[in-house]
Amino acid sequence: MGRSLFGRFPDLRRRADRVLGYSIEELCLANPDRRLSETAYAQPAIYVVNALHWSEAQQDLPPADFFAGHSLGEYSALFAAGAFDFETGLTLVRRRAELMGQVSGGAMAAVIGVSEQIVEETLKQHDATGVVIANYNAPEQFVLSGSREELARIKPVFEKVEGVRGFVPVHVSGPFHAPAMAPAAARFRSLLASVDVGDLRTPVISNVTGRPFGPDAQQVRDLLAEQIAKPVRWTDCIRYLRDAGVTVFTELGESKVLTSLIDRITTAQEPAPDPRQDLIERIKREILQPEIGDEALDFDEDASFRQLGLNSIIYVRLARRAGTALGAPIKPDVIFQHRSCAALADYLLTRDDIAQATAPETPPEPLREYQDERVTALLRDCANGTLSVARTIEAIRALA
């Protein structure tokens, strides 16, 4: 870990040694007494090496729009965003590792190949009440956390579940990101209370919420404490970033584990479009909202337009907006007769001129005929510019 970087950033190495009281370079490169297998040593080592990679990356990478880190990596993301300096972050990580390392008797295991629903149902059906999902890594990859005995008991159960491609033990010393870590989280919260948290120069996505940390320093402290005992919602983090317009992800470090997870998340099959629901949302957004404001977005789809106090003049204006938005003439009496978003959508879908205009586009013939849905999703991302040709080829090869 960090073999090529310690010599390039000696000041960072010396600062780490002062905080930790031992040689971080020796720990990472020689691993005396196999200390890296212990949480108390592994977490500070990962944080320091992440900081080395960040120092190197700043020389070449353009400014980021967002930062995100998985579990411990969240501290690296916050350091990069300016929440705290290197030494403060390392002090927090060292104490976090000590507290988490004190919780024994638990273990973790990854379930690969099935959905969250199947994982939850299997746990419930077999009374594995002490086992929880600790990491939502990808749509079909979850890490369970619980007692060693319970994980050993349900291992053969999951291996018989249709679709499961693996039940893989994770080499950690405790049941991380689970209720068993609550005492450690409470003690860590006390330490965080005395830590200054600066303004984030770049938004950072929280593992707990799958959304950016807010501007309130206390919220950052609270979420860092909660993260110890709550699941890492990595899938939600990446979906938020995609919805925010992010198309390029750069993983720092020599490992590409997160890149692989991101690929699985972004190429997962999207749910089939619902033309009716899509049309209801368009009616709210493109027809009602310009007339009555944001109240339209939360308007019950079955509620009568009369609740909005619309008069006959408004019906004329709504009809004009509907015609413009949908590209087909709509009479005011149609709006009057179908006085809810749902009723209006149901009527409009009976009209060929409207239904054809609102139908989802059919993918090009080669994509529609391809049998592997994951490859189809990659090709669509390439066609719409989300992925480069080179990145698409790389991702398809990874699938093979």
Side-chain angles (χ1 to χ4, degrees), residues 247-304:
T247 58
V248 177
F249 293 84
T250 301
E251 180 177 1
L252 300 187
E254 298 173 1
S255 169
K256 295 305 173 189
V257 172
L258 297 185
T259 298
S260 175
L261 294 179
I262 291 168
D263 286 344
R264 296 183 192 183
I265 295 167
T266 57
T267 59
Q269 183 178 13
E270 297 293 333
D274 181 347
R276 180 178 183 271
Q277 194 59 44
D278 289 347
L279 186 51
I280 289 172
E281 294 303 318
R282 287 190 65 187
I283 290 170
K284 291 182 180 182
R285 186 176 63 254
E286 300 178 31
I287 300 173
L288 282 185
Q289 188 181 19
E291 294 295 336
I292 66 172
D294 291 343
E295 180 184 354
L297 301 180
D298 297 322
F299 191 65
D300 190 309
E301 64 185 48
D302 293 312
S304 172

Side-chain angles (χ1 to χ4, degrees), residues 150-377:
E150 277 292 84
L151 288 174
R153 181 178 71 84
I154 64 171
K155 181 177 186 291
V157 172
F158 271 101
E159 290 176 336
K160 294 178 183 178
V161 173
E162 183 179 357
V164 170
R165 299 194 300 273
F167 188 95
V168 185
V170 179
H171 297 293
V172 293
S173 62
F176 300 158
H177 301 295
M181 285 285 159
R187 289 192 288 272
F188 191 57
R189 189 184 298 274
S190 299
L191 172 64
L192 285 164
S194 62
V195 174
D196 289 331
V197 177
D199 294 336
L200 302 183
R201 296 187 296 264
T202 304
V204 178
I205 310 303
S206 163
N207 285 181
V208 174
T209 65
R211 297 291 183 271
F213 285 96
D216 181 17
Q218 186 56 46
Q219 184 203 46
V220 176
R221 298 187 191 97
D222 290 342
L223 289 175
L224 286 179
E226 291 178 22
Q227 192 229 51
I228 292 177
K230 288 194 174 182
V232 173
R233 298 188 175 277
W234 187 247
T235 299
D236 289 345
C237 292
I238 300 307
R239 285 176 172 163
Y240 174 87
L241 291 170
R242 286 299 299 265
D243 289 344
V246 174
T247 58
V248 177
F249 293 84
T250 301
E251 180 177 1
L252 300 187
E254 298 173 1
S255 169
K256 295 305 173 189
V257 172
L258 297 185
T259 298
S260 175
L261 294 179
I262 291 168
D263 286 344
R264 296 183 192 183
I265 295 167
T266 57
T267 59
Q269 183 178 13
E270 297 293 333
D274 181 347
R276 180 178 183 271
Q277 194 59 44
D278 289 347
L279 186 51
I280 289 172
E281 294 303 318
R282 287 190 65 187
I283 290 170
K284 291 182 180 182
R285 186 176 63 254
E286 300 178 31
I287 300 173
L288 282 185
Q289 188 181 19
E291 294 295 336
I292 66 172
D294 291 343
E295 180 184 354
L297 301 180
D298 297 322
F299 191 65
D300 190 309
E301 64 185 48
D302 293 312
S304 172
F305 293 157
R306 286 179 175 175
Q307 295 183 17
L308 301 173
L310 302 180
N311 55 33
S312 58
I313 300 299
I314 292 295
Y315 286 116
V316 173
R317 292 165 63 178
L318 291 179
R320 289 175 180 170
R321 287 194 179 278
T324 301
L326 302 175
I330 306 291
K331 294 182 178 180
D333 63 342
V334 167
I335 306 294
F336 182 78
Q337 292 170 13
H338 304 86
R339 290 190 294 270
S340 73
C341 297
L344 182 58
D346 288 339
Y347 163 77
L348 294 173
L349 287 172
T350 66
R351 289 180 44 169
D352 290 341
D353 55 344
I354 302 294
Q356 292 174 6
T358 58
E361 293 184 6
T362 302
E365 194 73 14
L367 303 187
R368 185 159 50 86
E369 288 186 351
Y370 204 85
Q371 297 300 308
D372 192 319
E373 295 171 348
R374 298 171 300 170
V375 174
T376 300

